[in-house]
Amino acid sequence: MQDVIIIGAGPCGLSAAIECNRRGLSTHIIEKHHIVRSIYLYPTYMQFFSTAELLEIGDIPFATPNDKPFRHEALSYYRKVASHYQLNITSYEEAFSIERHDNGLFTVHTRDRSGQELCHEARQVVIATGYFDHPNYIGIPGEDLPKVTHYFREAHPYTGTKVTVIGGSNSAVDAAMELIRVGAEVTMVYRGETISDNIKPWVRPIFEGLIQKGNIHLHLNAKVTEIRMDSVVVTTNDGQESIIDNDFVLALTGFHPDRQLLASSGVLLDGDMEKPIFNPETMESSVPGLYVAGVIASGSNANEVFIESGRWHGRLIAEHIRPLSS
């Protein structure tokens, strides 16, 4: 019997375990992939928008020679934090249901890589799952073709090809700029009047320069309405269609948290956003003893919570379960 089972080994789940351990609570982190899976799925050469200090957990300094850390530095940092605190982590085991008993205790039902079903008992449960396994699909013909991906890792495989990037966020802009460097012909399609206002300030002028030179073909107020084997159909907001030759499509339309585990556990969800109902001072959900941490607390709007803010959720949870002064 553990005091706390934490589902998800991202930065927010790791932070929650550290804060609980500091208060003398036993913890077990259950992760269906490996630690910080979401960061692993970031583009290979991605640089964070935040400074290293804003990504720190457990009072462990994040040392980097860069103003903004890169993906590989973050992977190394969180591995070291988990090792430093000797966190009890079970990887490649998926929690598929949470059962709360009349006595207030919980049983977490899981399935390991071999398909064997297991049960884990705990006094409290924290759901700290991420969102990168669940891309936002557009729902257009051809989106399921092999040429389409919702994940961009690096540009090399697209050398010399025609690539359409759907989206106008940092991920879309970064991908377009990397693709240009390897000689891809890049078309960007975005439904807004301008690209996102949140584009990294040191990236925006370079990106705009590439557009002015004609290196990136940008279609604003438009959307891809069909994906074909050798082309895409782009439709403007006023209904005009154009067919663009195409080899690959990067549909960088964002991701959303999976709320199935929350809902099946009895957690109430609020409105169309399906945001879990919880106490923001303690992160406790509508189910007593069941907490949320990290991006899962944002419902379908994954941009509402980042590592910078979600890393503090664990401290609120741990303090509610067992105050540090007690």
Side-chain angles (χ1 to χ4, degrees), residues 3-173:
D3 289 321
V4 185
I5 285 179
I6 299 163
I7 302 172
C12 301
L14 299 179
S15 177
I18 292 168
E19 295 297 336
C20 287
N21 289 349
R22 283 176 166 172
R23 290 158 175 80
L25 298 165
S26 61
T27 62
H28 181 194
I29 301 176
I30 298 173
E31 166 58 51
K32 70 176 178 179
H33 294 295
H34 49 75
I35 68 168
V36 293
R37 162 81 169 181
S38 292
I39 294 176
Y40 170 75
L41 290 175
Y42 288 168
T44 303
Y45 305 109
M46 193 210 78
Q47 187 175 23
F48 281 85
F49 191 96
S50 300
T51 61
E53 290 79 8
L54 293 176
L55 303 177
E56 291 175 352
I57 61 173
D59 298 322
I60 302 296
F62 187 159
T64 172
N66 303 296
D67 293 335
K68 307 286 195 302
F70 286 83
R71 164 188 170 274
H72 71 277
E73 295 177 299
L75 292 176
S76 176
Y77 170 75
Y78 290 116
R79 288 198 304 268
K80 290 177 180 177
V81 171
S83 176
H84 174 82
Y85 283 104
Q86 298 181 322
L87 298 180
N88 177 20
I89 304 173
T90 298
S91 299
Y92 302 104
E93 186 173 324
E94 181 176 6
F96 62 86
S97 72
I98 302 170
E99 181 182 4
R100 187 178 188 273
H101 304 288
D102 292 339
N103 60 4
L105 301 180
F106 292 88
T107 299
V108 178
H109 300 271
T110 66
R111 187 178 295 110
D112 66 16
R113 282 188 291 179
S114 68
Q116 181 181 3
E117 294 190 0
L118 306 167
C119 296
H120 304 274
E121 308 294 329
R123 294 180 174 84
Q124 284 91 18
V125 174
V126 177
I127 299 179
T129 49
Y131 62 97
F132 256 74
D133 288 338
H134 305 280
N136 295 325
Y137 291 102
I138 306 170
I140 59 175
E143 191 173 6
D144 57 348
L145 288 173
K147 63 184 280 186
V148 182
T149 180
H150 291 266
Y151 299 90
F152 174 72
R153 301 307 304 275
E154 54 184 300
H156 176 75
Y158 304 100
T159 299
T161 67
K162 297 180 176 68
V163 184
T164 298
V165 179
I166 302 175
S169 64
N170 273 297
S171 60
V173 169

Side-chain angles (χ1 to χ4, degrees), residues 138-217:
I138 306 170
I140 59 175
E143 191 173 6
D144 57 348
L145 288 173
K147 63 184 280 186
V148 182
T149 180
H150 291 266
Y151 299 90
F152 174 72
R153 301 307 304 275
E154 54 184 300
H156 176 75
Y158 304 100
T159 299
T161 67
K162 297 180 176 68
V163 184
T164 298
V165 179
I166 302 175
S169 64
N170 273 297
S171 60
V173 169
D174 288 347
M177 291 176 58
E178 283 197 42
L179 289 164
I180 289 297
R181 295 188 188 106
V182 301
E185 184 178 321
V186 180
T187 299
M188 285 187 68
V189 181
Y190 185 52
R191 61 186 178 182
E193 295 183 0
T194 63
I195 61 170
S196 171
D197 292 334
N198 297 321
I199 300 302
K200 301 167 188 173
W202 62 91
V203 169
R204 181 181 288 273
I206 302 173
F207 173 72
E208 291 176 344
L210 291 170
I211 293 173
Q212 292 170 3
K213 294 175 183 176
N215 298 110
I216 296 175
H217 306 287

